[in-house]
Amino acid sequence: MKQNQELRESEQKFRIIFDNSMEGLMLWNESYQIVDINGSAERILGFPKERLLGQSLLDLFHRAEEKKQEIMNQIEHVTNDGKQYSPMVIKSSDGSLRHFDYSTKHGIVDGLNLTVIIDGTEKVEMQEQLRKSDRLNVIGELAAGIAHEIRNPMTSLKGFIQLLEPSIRREQPMYYDVITSELARIDSIINEFLILAKPQEIRFLEKDACQIMRETVDLLRPQAVLYNVQFDTRYEENLPFIFCEPNQLKKVFINLIKNGIEVMPSGGTITIKINQLDDQFIQISIQDEGIGIPKDILHKLGEPFYTTKEKGTGLGLMVSYRIVEEHKGSIQIESEEGIGTTFQIVLPLDMNIIK
């Protein structure tokens, strides 16, 4: 009688620990069938308990056929060694990657095996952000030195070209246009290098984001006409002002809108929306009708020297990320191949309340 009571109490304790564990716990038998899971495992795997019970472990990843052999190999290791730890990366239906860590103990009780599941996606993404931040700091320091070294001979070259302008224009006008165009491009890259250098002292002012966008659109309208691109602007009325450095914010808008124009060589529409999300943020949306960006390279955008354009440097988007980050905002990119790309910029109305 006493032994039965102790057994029941032990089972109750196990059930409480099992159900309330912060880590995903899953029991499965020698036929690979799931016998029990806890709430954390339901959340991590994204399926209700009722749907998983009795299912094979292999059916957990019915969208990832290439993972089934990997799972079989892990089960074999568990059977032979008694335990197994392994990471696994699964591609979700939306194209995003989820990172899992699995620890399995064979024969935890008669005929049952225990697998502990940890969703490490957030940790991996944080490490990736730190990696990008470290790389950005190194590039910033390198950029400052390179930019200053290039600027001195550039100044001399531009001076001599101006002195020779009359004779070159008369004898080789095409060469003069190419030289001045390429010098202007180099100068633009140098300026982007300098922005990537040590964060500059910024004087934030209370400004109207819609007015900054209007000035940007007016500035780029001639280029848009050349590409047969129209602007569809939708600004919410009576939006509160934001604290920003207007010239730097305009540079972000220019970079993103120019990207949109250049990915639509046959024409199209760029839709620009500005609206208030809540009492703390406004959202600026810039949407093009270009060819779109494959999901597997979306995460690379904003990295140094990564670009989808033939003559691009990748610095424009990288600079834009840096500026928005200094404004304590964020940039999100959504894209669908054959339909277009949307850049969503979220900025705080008051940076002092953002931790």
Side-chain angles (χ1 to χ4, degrees), residues 59-75:
D59 293 336
L60 286 176
F61 307 105
H62 62 281
R63 292 191 305 268
E65 292 295 328
E66 73 280 2
K67 295 294 180 183
K68 291 191 176 182
Q69 186 57 49
E70 185 178 341
I71 295 169
M72 289 298 295
N73 293 338
Q74 291 173 10
I75 291 173

Side-chain angles (χ1 to χ4, degrees), residues 147-170:
H148 287 297
E149 289 297 325
I150 295 176
R151 177 150 281 180
N152 291 333
M154 271 286 295
T155 303
S156 300
L157 283 173
K158 290 195 305 191
F160 282 119
I161 289 295
Q162 288 174 353
L163 289 174
L164 296 172
E165 178 181 357
S167 60
I168 297 178
R169 272 194 176 280
R170 184 174 57 253

Side-chain angles (χ1 to χ4, degrees), residues 327-355:
H327 283 72
K328 296 187 178 179
S330 64
I331 298 181
Q332 298 294 327
I333 309 173
E334 298 174 0
S335 188
E336 191 168 344
E337 292 184 81
I339 294 179
T341 302
T342 302
F343 288 88
Q344 304 274 14
I345 305 169
V346 175
L347 296 170
L349 297 172
D350 183 357
M351 291 187 296
N352 294 322
I353 63 175
I354 305 300
K355 295 182 180 180

